[in-house]
Amino acid sequence: LSACESVFQLLDTHEEPDHGTEVLPRSSGHIRFESVQFTYPGAERPAPQNLDFEVSTGQTVALVGASGGGKTTISS
C-alpha cells in the first residue's frame, strides 16, 4: 500500500507547462558503419563482427538480435 501511495501521488502530479519557443532545424547527414566489430571484456569472440550498415536522414532502423549481440552498444 505504501508503494501505491507514492505511485498515485506521482500520477496525480500536474504536468509542467511547456513554454519552449525554440524551433530546432531538421537534422541532415547520415551515419555509416563499415566492418565494425568489438568484443566485450571476457568474451571469446567479437559481437558483432564485420557489421556494415548506413542510415540516412529521416530513416528508421530497428536493431534486432540475441541478448549480448551488441544492439545497445551500437545505438550508444
Side-chain angles (χ1 to χ4, degrees):
L1 289 176
S2 188
C4 289
E5 268 185 47
S6 61
V7 169
F8 287 123
Q9 182 179 8
L10 178 63
L11 291 174
D12 290 338
T13 304
H14 295 288
E15 284 186 29
E16 292 183 24
D18 181 2
H19 299 295
T21 57
E22 186 172 345
V23 177
L24 299 176
R26 191 87 162 124
S27 65
S28 63
H30 66 274
I31 298 172
R32 181 177 23 213
F33 284 67
E34 293 182 0
S35 300
V36 173
Q37 70 179 33
F38 56 87
T39 305
Y40 292 112
E44 294 180 18
R45 61 186 178 86
Q49 75 188 62
N50 299 321
L51 176 68
D52 297 313
F53 71 90
E54 187 168 347
V55 182
S56 298
T57 302
Q59 191 174 21
T60 301
V61 175
L63 299 175
V64 180
S67 179
K71 300 178 299 291
T72 301
T73 302
I74 292 166
S75 64
S76 294

